[in-house]
Amino acid sequence: EVDSSGPESKNPDQHFVSTNQLSIQSHSLFQNEGNNEDDDSGTDYGSGDKPFLKKAEHVGNAVLPGIFQTNQLLFYERFKAYQDYMLGDCKTSEVKAFIADYLEKVVEPCDWQALWCTEVFDVQVEVVDVDYVGLKASVELVLPMRCEVRGCEISEEAMRDLLEATQHMVPLQELHTVYDESGDFDHTALAVEHLRFFYKHIWRKWDEEDEDDDFDYFVRCVEPRLRLYYDILEDRVPAGLVAEYHSLLARCSEKFQEFSSLRNDICSDSESELDNVSMVEGLRMCEQMEALKRKLRIIENPLLRHVLGYKVNSGKQSYSAKGQREGAVRVVHVVSSSMTVGQLQTLMVDKLLPDFSGEQFELQFHGDPLLAIDACYEGDVVIICTGHYLVSGSINILDSIQVEGFGLSDEVVIEKRGKGDAFIEATAANAKISNLKFIQHDAIEGILCVRQGRLEMENCVLQCETTGVIVRTSAQLTMNMCDLYGAKGAGVEIYPGSICTLVGNGIHHCREGVLIKVSQGVLIRITMVNNVIHNNEGYGVILVKPADLPLDGGAVGGKHKTEGIKPHAGLEYICTDVYPTCVPLMVVEEPPVDSHYDVPPDITEGNDAIKKELVATSAKKTQRQKRAMKELGVTQADDNLLSQEMFVSIQGNQFRRNGKGSFGTFQY
C-alpha cells in the first residue's frame, strides 16, 4: 500500500543527482571518520559526517515539538541505506537479525525524545531503553503531558495506565524522533524512518516463508518493491494497474491470515477426519496464495510491469462500448463546474435550442468531463463549458460520440494529472472532438492514441509532454486546424495500415514533426495539406522504413507501358522482369490550394521530397512482393495481392526552422 503523503521525488532511473539539490545530504549518511582505507565502511555506522536533516513542525491543535523531517527521502537514499547498511546481501531468514544489528549500531540506546504516534493520539515520550531484537523501546511520559488526541479524550492518568499495560514498551516504528539541533540524534531519526518504511512498504508477512531463501533478499524483493513504490509515487504506473496491485496485496494478506489460522488449528499428530479436511483446504489456500504472489511479482518487475500496463491500457476499452441507449434516446451531457444564469441562457440560445431541441434529446449535467464521457452511449453529445478541468484518469472514447467545447479552445481546458495513464484513447467507430485544449504534464504515454475506428479532431490545442498523437494500425484520424506542440517524441506518429488526414494544423517544438512508419505489404494512406511544421528539433517529417532488400529484377521505378495495358491517369506504374505486368503503386491526387496558403518554394520544398520517397518506398515493396510470389510459383496476377495503392496528398505544407530539415528517412 502506497503512502499518499510520501515525498515528491526524482525519476528513479535518474537518481544519481548532485547532493546540493537535495534537502537531505544522504551521500554522507554513514561515512567513516578519517581516511583509513582499511576501515569497513559498512560497519562504522555512527561516526563521521552527520546527515543534514530539516525540522518538520507539528501540524495540529496541540502544542507538540517538531520532529526530524525524514519522510522526504529520495529513491537512491533509501536504496543505499537498505543495500549498504541495513540488509546487505542477507537471506530472507536473516532479515530480522540484520535489522537488529543495524539498529544496535545506529540508534541511541536512551536519552532521546520522540512523539509516540498512533491512530488515536500523538504524545511526547522519552526513550530510556531500546530492545533492538524486539524492535521496541522502553519509554516514559514527558511531564507535563503534551498530547493530541483524535476522536476521544485521554487524561494524563489514562495515558499512564496505558503505558503500564504495555510495560512501557512501544514499537519503534511508532516513534518519530523529536528534532534536536545538536545533530546527535540525526542517525537515530533516519534509522527509525528506514525501519518504519521497510515494514510498511517493503516487507510482506509471507516473505519469511519464501522457498527462495538462498537468494539475496535485497535484489529479489527490496529493490523491485522500492522502485514500484517510487514509480507509483511519481504517477508513472497506470491507475488501473495501481488499483490492481493494491487489490492483490489485500487479497494475498487476507488469504495468508486465513491460511495461518487454519495451519495453527491443525494438530500435527492428529488423524481425525476434520483435520484431514482442513489440510485439503489448507493446500487449496496455499495454491491460491501462490497464484496471487506470482501476480504481485509480475507487477513489481519493472519490465513486466511496463508490458502489463500497456496491455491493460490497450485492450480493456475494446470490449467496453455500450452501443445505443434503449428507447433511441440521445443524451446531451453538459459539463460545467459552475455557471451563471447569463451563461446558461447563452448556452441555451446559441447551442442547445438550435441543435438539440428535438424530443429525442435529453439533458444531463456533470461537473467532471470524465464522468460525462463515461456515461455516454452511441450518438450522445458532450458539451464542455468554459473552465479549467483537472482529470486524473484516461479519457476513453468507446462509442461514436461528439465531445466539444463551448467557448474558445483556449478557454475550455482539460489538464491531465498523473503520468502513468494515457490521456485520450479512442476506439469508437466514428467520434469527434472539437474546440478543446488538452494539457499533459511529464507523462510516459502520448496525449492521444487512436487505436481503432475513426476520430476527427477539429480546432483543438494539444500541449504534449511525450509522444503527441499516435494513429495505430487500422485506425483513422482526421485532424483539422489544430495546434500541437511540446512532444518529446514525434508530434504525430502514423503506423502502417492506418489512414491519416492532416489539414491546416500547426505542429511545432517537438522532437520530430510527423513520423511515418512503413511496413512491407501494409497499406498506408496519408493526406497532408496546408500544415505549418516548424521549430522541431529533428526533421519536419521523417519516414521510418525497413532496410532495402537485394532485388533480382529490373530497376525499381522503371515505368513502361505493357502491351495491352493502358495506364490509368494519376497512377504511378512499375514493371519488372520478375513479373512483367504493370500494377498501380500509388494514387497521387493534388487538391487545389487556396492562394492564401501560397508560399515561396524554399518553404514548401519538403512536399515533393516526401512524395518521391513514399513513391519509391511503395515501388520497392511491390517488387519484393512480386519476387516472393515468383518464388512461390504464382504465375497469374492477383490485383488483391499486388495492388499497393498508397493514397498520398501532400501539398501546400510549410516547413520552417526544423533542426535537421524538412524531410528525412530512417532505415531499420
Side-chain angles (χ1 to χ4, degrees):
E1 186 174 339
V2 176
D3 184 4
S4 60
S5 64
E8 290 294 329
S9 61
K10 304 292 184 186
N11 186 341
D13 294 326
Q14 300 173 345
H15 50 264
F16 295 102
V17 296
S18 175
T19 52
N20 60 8
Q21 298 175 352
L22 307 178
S23 61
I24 303 173
Q25 311 298 325
S26 67
H27 75 294
S28 60
L29 281 182
F30 303 116
Q31 291 180 349
N32 290 333
E33 207 168 28
N35 296 319
N36 187 354
E37 296 180 358
D38 295 332
D39 288 344
D40 183 0
S41 62
T43 59
D44 194 3
Y45 291 85
S47 63
D49 297 336
K50 295 182 173 61
F52 175 74
L53 297 177
K54 292 184 177 181
K55 181 180 181 180
E57 298 291 346
H58 178 77
V59 179
N61 298 325
V63 181
L64 288 173
I67 60 176
F68 284 100
Q69 186 175 15
T70 58
N71 67 338
Q72 293 188 358
L73 300 179
L74 303 182
F75 167 83
Y76 89 95
E77 296 174 294
R78 298 193 191 275
F79 182 96
K80 180 178 178 64
Y82 292 134
Q83 183 183 49
D84 294 350
Y85 309 113
M86 191 170 182
L87 298 173
D89 58 354
C90 72
K91 302 175 183 178
T92 307
S93 58
E94 300 171 332
V95 166
K96 293 184 178 179
F98 270 62
I99 290 178
D101 182 66
Y102 162 77
L103 295 176
E104 188 173 0
K105 290 179 171 68
V106 180
V107 176
E108 295 291 335
C110 60
D111 299 331
W112 51 281
Q113 294 189 355
L115 294 184
W116 179 21
C117 300
T118 68
E119 295 181 357
V120 180
F121 60 81
D122 298 342
V123 62
Q124 186 176 358
V125 296
E126 181 171 354
V127 176
V128 297
D129 192 17
V130 177
D131 177 8
Y132 300 107
V133 176
L135 305 181
K136 292 186 176 183
S138 177
V139 301
E140 295 289 347
L141 192 63
V142 174
L143 299 177
M145 185 178 77
R146 302 170 73 179
C147 180
E148 180 176 8
V149 295
R150 290 175 283 274
C152 64
E153 294 293 333
I154 299 179
S155 63
E156 182 178 324
E157 182 179 357
M159 187 61 68
R160 288 179 180 275
D161 292 340
L162 178 61
L163 286 173
E164 288 292 336
T166 61
Q167 298 180 347
H168 291 261
M169 301 296 291
V170 301
L172 271 175
Q173 302 173 49
E174 296 180 1
L175 296 180
H176 296 260
T177 310
V178 171
Y179 183 78
D180 188 297
E181 293 182 352
S182 68
D184 294 339
F185 303 108
D186 290 38
H187 287 294
T188 296
L190 273 176
V192 174
E193 168 62 26
H194 290 318
L195 174 71
R196 178 167 42 247
F197 184 91
F198 175 79
Y199 278 105
K200 185 175 183 180
H201 300 294
I202 305 297
W203 180 255
R204 308 285 185 249
K205 297 177 181 178
W206 49 86
D207 280 353
E208 56 189 349
E209 298 185 3
D210 201 329
E211 297 178 355
D212 296 330
D213 189 49
D214 292 335
F215 296 94
D216 188 336
Y217 179 73
F218 176 85
V219 173
R220 189 165 48 86
C221 297
V222 178
E223 181 178 1
R225 292 172 185 173
L226 186 63
R227 287 188 181 276
L228 175 61
Y229 171 83
Y230 276 93
D231 282 349
I232 294 176
L233 188 67
E234 296 173 348
D235 295 322
R236 299 188 180 279
V237 182
L241 199 58
V242 175
E244 176 69 12
Y245 183 69
H246 289 166
S247 174
L248 288 170
L249 270 180
R251 288 159 55 193
C252 196
S253 180
E254 180 182 355
K255 191 63 63 176
F256 179 77
Q257 188 67 34
E258 294 177 3
F259 176 74
S260 299
S261 300
L262 181 64
R263 182 175 55 186
N264 294 335
D265 292 339
I266 298 177
C267 299
S268 59
D269 57 349
S270 174
E271 296 182 359
S272 67
E273 182 178 350
L274 182 60
D275 280 347
N276 290 336
V277 172
S278 298
M279 290 180 66
V280 173
E281 179 66 15
L283 289 174
R284 187 182 65 83
M285 286 185 180
C286 188
E287 291 177 356
Q288 293 175 347
M289 194 165 59
E290 287 300 320
L292 293 172
K293 287 159 64 175
R294 280 194 297 271
K295 293 180 180 179
L296 288 172
R297 285 194 293 269
I298 290 174
I299 299 177
E300 289 166 355
N301 182 290
L303 178 60
L304 297 179
R305 175 167 69 247
H306 175 76
V307 175
L308 180 62
Y310 176 80
K311 180 180 178 182
V312 170
N313 280 347
S314 63
K316 65 182 180 182
Q317 313 93 306
S318 302
Y319 308 99
S320 302
K322 299 177 183 177
Q324 292 186 349
R325 185 180 281 102
E326 294 183 4
V329 175
R330 296 176 61 189
V331 174
V332 179
H333 304 265
V334 179
V335 180
S336 179
S337 55
S338 63
M339 185 182 296
T340 65
V341 175
Q343 290 172 331
L344 179 59
Q345 183 178 14
T346 302
L347 176 65
M348 292 290 295
V349 173
D350 294 347
K351 189 65 182 176
L352 298 180
L353 288 176
D355 299 337
F356 308 108
S357 57
E359 295 183 357
Q360 73 272 26
F361 291 104
E362 293 182 358
L363 281 181
Q364 291 184 11
F365 292 88
H366 307 266
D368 186 341
L370 285 183
L371 295 178
I373 294 173
D374 289 344
C376 283
Y377 284 76
E378 190 86 11
D380 284 1
V381 178
V382 178
I383 299 175
I384 304 177
C385 298
T386 301
H388 195 120
Y389 303 89
L390 296 175
V391 298
S392 298
S394 298
I395 298 176
N396 295 318
I397 310 295
L398 309 174
D399 293 277
S400 297
I401 63 173
Q402 296 182 38
V403 182
E404 56 183 291
F406 183 69
L408 299 177
S409 58
D410 284 337
E411 296 177 347
V412 189
V413 180
I414 301 179
E415 184 174 351
K416 176 73 164 60
R417 294 181 296 188
K419 308 170 187 176
D421 294 295
F423 197 164
I424 311 166
E425 294 201 340
T427 58
N430 191 9
K432 182 177 180 179
I433 301 175
S434 61
N435 216 44
L436 292 169
K437 180 175 182 178
F438 299 95
I439 300 177
Q440 180 189 47
H441 296 290
D442 193 22
I444 61 176
E445 297 284 349
I447 196 168
L448 167 65
C449 182
V450 187
R451 297 199 178 276
Q452 62 186 43
R454 181 180 183 274
L455 176 67
E456 179 182 355
M457 293 200 75
E458 184 175 342
N459 195 34
C460 290
V461 178
L462 297 99
Q463 179 178 320
C464 312
E465 277 286 348
T466 53
T467 301
V469 175
I470 301 175
V471 190
R472 293 283 183 185
T473 301
S474 301
Q476 182 175 352
L477 171 69
T478 300
M479 194 163 77
N480 299 325
M481 304 303 294
C482 295
D483 189 32
L484 187 155
Y485 59 91
K488 295 177 183 176
V492 179
E493 190 171 321
I494 305 171
Y495 275 72
S498 63
I499 302 175
C500 185
T501 302
L502 306 175
V503 179
N505 302 287
I507 303 172
H508 55 98
H509 294 92
C510 304
R511 183 174 179 180
E512 310 286 352
V514 179
L515 186 149
I516 304 171
K517 294 186 176 181
V518 177
S519 178
Q520 183 175 352
V522 180
L523 181 68
I524 185 169
R525 298 175 181 266
I526 302 170
T527 300
M528 291 177 59
V529 178
N530 297 335
N531 301 285
V532 182
I533 304 174
H534 65 95
N535 289 100
N536 295 290
E537 181 182 343
Y539 293 101
V541 176
I542 185 168
L543 182 69
V544 179
K545 61 179 183 177
D548 291 336
L549 299 177
L551 299 174
D552 296 332
V556 175
K559 298 168 189 166
H560 310 283
K561 286 186 181 180
T562 302
E563 193 171 334
I565 302 293
K566 182 178 179 181
H568 189 280
L571 295 185
E572 295 282 357
Y573 282 82
I574 181 171
C575 300
T576 70
D577 296 334
V578 176
Y579 200 78
T581 303
C582 291
V583 292
L585 293 178
M586 183 178 302
V587 182
V588 181
E589 297 184 2
E590 302 295 357
V593 182
D594 295 339
S595 59
H596 173 74
Y597 291 100
D598 289 343
V599 291
D602 59 333
I603 301 299
T604 61
E605 62 183 2
N607 294 285
D608 293 334
I610 297 169
K611 286 186 291 186
K612 289 178 181 178
E613 182 64 32
L614 290 175
V615 168
T617 300
S618 180
K620 293 174 183 178
K621 287 167 53 181
T622 301
Q623 191 164 358
R624 290 192 198 105
Q625 189 172 12
K626 288 191 212 175
R627 182 182 175 213
M629 294 175 64
K630 177 71 174 179
E631 292 174 351
L632 293 173
V634 178
T635 58
Q636 297 296 325
D638 187 336
D639 292 338
N640 293 327
L641 291 176
L642 291 179
S643 179
Q644 292 293 313
E645 299 180 24
M646 179 187 291
F647 172 78
V648 175
S649 176
I650 299 176
Q651 180 71 29
N653 301 288
Q654 301 181 38
F655 300 90
R656 302 172 183 267
R657 296 183 296 277
N658 295 293
K660 295 183 179 180
S662 302
F663 176 68
T665 59
F666 176 79
Q667 293 184 334
Y668 63 92

